Amino acid sequence: VSLLAVLLRAGLMREDGGFEAAPAMPLARRLASGLEAGKDSGGMRLRLPHGMWLCAADVEELLKVKAAFALALESLLAAAGLAPAEVAALCLAGALGEHVRAHDLQTLGFLPSALAPRLRAVGNASLEGAALLATDTQMRENLAGLCATSRLLPLVEEENFHQTYLRHMRFGA
């Protein structure tokens, strides 16, 4: 994720996730020397250190994740009637929260700029939550109460789901 944010900022990657073969910035031109046509995928790939590659297909997969993430966040905020600036904290669990910088998530368009400074990594929340529920009866009762009053947002059933998803299929947007 951080590598893609750097490539986007440097101009070697376009917002549509494609590699820019002739970038304007000197750093991007230097990095572009590592671009070549992919052997199996048919798209471009960028040579990385230690014999690794960043393939166009890998970028596309992350772009799909970004689109789903941004769409879900946008929908949750709309359902709550909140603007991003009104959110006190956005807790992000798992590896994404632990290992990716908020600035990079903002650059790629996962987060609106107002939320990036409010991002909080919360670690392996599912494991910690399961352990807490296994040992605390009151927590189980509290969770049952929350579940009874929660509302499902079936995003794929929304009338304009596909158009909205495709709108988010761009980095930085």
Side-chain angles (χ1 to χ4, degrees):
V1 172
S2 294
L3 173 61
L4 294 183
V6 168
L7 295 176
L8 186 65
R9 284 192 291 265
L12 184 58
M13 181 160 292
R14 299 185 310 262
E15 287 183 353
D16 67 0
F19 291 108
E20 184 63 54
M25 294 177 62
L27 173 61
R29 282 196 305 270
R30 183 172 178 202
L31 292 171
S33 67
L35 283 175
E36 66 177 49
K39 295 180 180 174
D40 297 328
S41 64
M44 296 295 288
R45 65 183 190 171
L46 178 65
R47 187 179 329 106
L48 300 173
H50 310 291
M52 295 174 41
W53 297 92
L54 177 61
C55 300
D58 297 329
V59 175
E60 181 181 356
E61 290 304 313
L62 187 67
L63 191 54
K64 291 175 187 175
V65 171
K66 179 266 170 190
F69 185 99
L71 173 61
L73 181 58
E74 178 181 86
S75 299
L76 284 171
L77 290 173
L82 292 172
E86 297 174 302
V87 175
L90 176 65
C91 298
L92 191 56
L96 195 61
E98 288 291 320
H99 301 291
V100 180
R101 295 180 4 202
H103 179 67
D104 293 335
L105 292 171
Q106 176 187 334
T107 296
L108 294 176
F110 279 80
L111 302 174
S113 59
L115 275 178
R118 296 179 175 98
L119 188 67
R120 303 289 177 263
V122 295
N124 190 342
S126 61
L127 180 61
E128 291 176 20
L132 185 60
L133 291 173
T135 59
D136 189 330
T137 305
Q138 183 62 47
M139 281 294 181
R140 286 194 300 272
E141 292 170 7
N142 291 345
L143 180 60
L146 286 173
C147 290
T149 60
S150 65
R151 180 172 58 115
L152 179 65
L153 295 178
L155 300 181
V156 296
E157 295 174 13
E158 294 291 324
E159 183 178 335
N160 295 320
F161 167 76
H162 291 98
Q163 293 86 352
T164 307
Y165 178 79
L166 289 174
R167 178 174 49 86
H168 286 289
M169 280 287 292
R170 302 187 68 72
F171 288 125

